[in-house]
């Protein structure tokens, strides 16, 4: 590790949705990607299953980074690059987005002076560099200052906080080039029917029953099921090529989602691997992709889901610790044109971090 990595780096640590990580201005990180990644691995304490010598929380959901800068794009406030820092491997990847960490980008941008706060609410338009998508957040700014206090509640977070609505547009094919990269609502790999879909997050959506599980198991139970994990990885490696993602052995996409009928009155129940750990909840953009699969006639999720009616659908995607509701808008051809999700965020620390 170079001597430069021992210098203090300005950073804000935040909870964004059901994830947690470091938020950095791009100007505060090395421009050279290798040097940047070395620095971030040191900050998180990777590779180490406990990340005991760094800020990471020994889980992919708490080993994340947002890199933010003022945007030069028309009608865009800031650019946001998401980086996943592996826990037990020396890998930093930008192969995916993170809609949970995205929830903190708006407040962070205002706090760092990249966006001027308004009295009441401040919209922040964000370009997601990983996939070229646009999202608009609404940040609560009473008296022109960010507040994190509020009454909004999301599953997977024990406390309430200020609401951060996020609207996504033009997400189809953001990583894979098309909503259905194979052109099919159903493909078969290793004798399992699935939908290979990308509506903001590349996902492989399969019936839980086809993989020999009920779909209501705990993450720990699923992680202990080694034959299941081996089967999922075999499918994932093949799906990566079919989804135009190439060799995904060192990537965190596609997400592997097993669906079953909802248990708590929602649209569908999910269990997701990301890629080798079972998600305690579900990612924001992963939920958008799964909800979209529920609306695709002929897909494995279609007959299992409670889809509702009309041009606007609220689909509650159940996960191990609750649900995440996706508000989808459909056009006359029943194509999803936009999706919105309610998230919250909270500032945990602002100062300097050391590698």
């Amino acid at each position: 590790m170079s001597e430069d990595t021992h210098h203090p780096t300005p950073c804000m640590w935040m909870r964004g949705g059901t994830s947690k990580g470091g938020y950095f201005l791009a100007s505060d990180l090395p421009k050279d990607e290798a040097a940047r990644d070395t620095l971030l691995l040191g900050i998180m304490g990777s590779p180490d299953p406990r990340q005991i010598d760094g800020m990471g929380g020994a889980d992919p959901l708490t080993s994340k980074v947002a890199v933010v800068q003022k945007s030069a794009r028309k009608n865009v406030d800031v650019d946001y690059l998401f980086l996943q820092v592996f826990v037990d491997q020396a890998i930093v990847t930008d192969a995916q987005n993170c809609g949970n960490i995205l929830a903190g980008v708006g407040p962070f941008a205002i706090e760092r002076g990249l966006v001027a706060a308004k009295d009441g609410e401040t919209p922040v338009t964000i370009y997601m560099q990983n996939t070229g998508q646009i999202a608009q957040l609404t940040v609560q700014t009473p008296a022109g200052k960010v507040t994190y206090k509020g009454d909004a509640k999301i599953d997977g977070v024990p406390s309430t906080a200020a609401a951060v609505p996020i609207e996504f547009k033009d997400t189809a094919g953001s990583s894979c080039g098309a909503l259905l990269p194979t052109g099919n609502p159903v493909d078969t790999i290793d004798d399992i029917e699935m939908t290979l879909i990308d509506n903001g997050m590349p996902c492989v959506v399969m019936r839980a029953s086809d993989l020999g599980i009920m779909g209501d198991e705990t993450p720990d139970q699923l992680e202990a099921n080694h034959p299941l994990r081996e089967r999922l990885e075999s499918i994932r490696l093949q799906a990566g090529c079919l989804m135009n993602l190439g060799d995904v052995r060192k990537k965190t996409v596609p997400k592997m989602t097993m669906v079953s009928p909802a248990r708590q009155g929602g649209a569908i129940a999910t269990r997701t691997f990301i890629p080798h750990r079972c998600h305690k909840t579900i990612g924001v953009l992963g939920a958008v992709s799964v909800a979209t699969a529920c609306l695709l006639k002929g897909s494995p999720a279609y007959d299992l889901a409670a889809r509702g009616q009309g041009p606007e659908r609220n689909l509650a995607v159940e996960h191990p610790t609750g649900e995440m509701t996706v508000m989808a808008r459909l056009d006359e051809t029943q194509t999803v044109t936009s999706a919105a999700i309610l998230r919250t965020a909270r500032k945990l620390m602002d100062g300097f971090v050391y590698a």
Side-chain angles (χ1 to χ4, degrees):
M1 186 180 295
S2 69
E3 188 64 30
D4 287 342
T5 61
H6 295 288
H7 292 176
T9 302
C11 175
M12 187 180 290
W13 223 260
M14 302 183 75
R15 174 186 63 77
T18 54
S19 293
K20 184 167 60 176
Y23 289 69
F24 299 85
L25 290 176
S27 57
D28 289 330
L29 293 174
K31 291 183 179 180
D32 177 74
E33 288 188 11
R36 178 201 69 189
D37 292 352
T38 297
L39 176 67
L40 294 176
L41 287 165
I43 287 171
M44 287 296 184
S46 298
D48 171 36
R50 293 193 300 156
Q51 291 182 317
I52 194 65
D53 201 32
M55 296 291 289
D59 190 289
L61 301 183
T62 56
S63 188
K64 298 184 172 185
V65 166
V67 183
V68 184
Q69 62 185 327
K70 195 165 184 62
S71 182
R73 293 172 172 84
K74 186 178 180 180
N75 299 322
V76 174
D77 295 311
V78 295
D79 295 342
Y80 152 56
L81 177 68
F82 170 70
L83 297 173
Q84 177 73 59
V85 181
F86 278 51
V87 174
D88 55 358
Q89 299 181 62
I91 296 173
V92 178
T93 177
D94 63 359
Q96 68 173 77
N97 258 330
C98 180
N100 275 302
I101 290 296
L102 172 65
V105 172
F108 175 77
I110 295 171
E111 294 235 35
R112 285 291 190 261
L114 302 181
V115 177
K118 298 180 179 179
D119 184 8
E121 294 182 341
T122 302
V124 181
T125 303
I126 299 168
Y127 176 79
M128 294 179 280
Q129 293 177 253
N130 302 71
T131 53
Q133 298 166 255
I134 299 290
Q136 182 166 330
L137 278 64
T138 302
V139 181
Q140 305 304 307
T141 51
K145 293 186 178 180
V146 175
T147 183
Y148 298 95
K149 294 182 178 180
D151 299 324
K153 179 77 170 68
I154 62 172
D155 288 330
V157 177
S159 57
T160 63
V164 183
I166 305 175
E167 183 174 8
F168 301 97
K169 294 183 179 180
D170 301 322
T171 55
S174 56
S175 295
C176 301
L179 177 70
L180 300 173
T182 66
N184 307 316
V186 183
D187 288 286
T188 301
I189 299 176
D190 291 353
D191 298 323
I192 301 293
E193 289 187 339
M194 61 197 68
T195 299
L196 308 180
I197 189 168
D198 173 18
N199 200 8
M201 178 64 68
C203 290
V204 178
V205 182
M206 305 158 284
R207 299 181 190 90
S209 59
D210 288 347
L211 287 149
I213 66 170
M214 296 296 295
D216 58 0
E217 293 85 351
T218 67
D220 287 344
Q221 287 174 325
L222 293 177
E223 287 189 10
N225 187 336
H226 295 290
L228 171 67
R229 291 175 61 182
E230 290 176 1
R231 198 171 188 188
L232 287 175
E233 183 63 1
S234 172
I235 293 171
R236 193 179 78 88
L237 295 179
Q238 296 174 71
C241 294
L242 293 173
M243 298 177 76
N244 303 317
L245 296 169
D247 184 350
V248 298
R249 282 176 292 182
K250 293 185 177 182
K251 296 181 180 179
T252 56
V253 289
K255 310 298 187 188
M256 307 298 288
T257 299
M258 296 163 284
V259 296
S260 59
R263 270 74 169 181
Q264 305 297 325
I268 196 128
T270 63
R271 293 295 185 267
T272 300
F273 275 76
I274 54 167
H276 307 128
R277 298 283 296 274
C278 187
H279 207 312
K280 303 299 189 296
T281 57
I282 189 171
V284 168
L285 291 162
V288 171
S289 288
V290 170
T292 305
C294 291
L295 299 171
L296 288 174
K297 192 171 184 178
S299 75
Y302 185 84
D303 290 333
L304 296 175
R307 299 179 303 279
Q309 299 291 329
E312 295 189 5
R313 313 280 184 91
N314 288 345
L315 293 94
V317 179
E318 297 179 1
H319 54 72
T321 53
E323 61 87 15
M324 184 182 299
T325 296
V326 178
M327 295 157 278
R329 292 192 182 95
L330 290 77
D331 63 17
E332 61 279 359
T333 68
Q334 300 303 294
T335 299
V336 175
T337 57
S338 71
I341 284 187
L342 176 67
R343 297 281 84 191
T344 66
R346 188 165 84 87
K347 179 169 66 173
L348 303 174
M349 182 282 296
D350 193 4
F352 295 91
V353 67
Y354 294 80

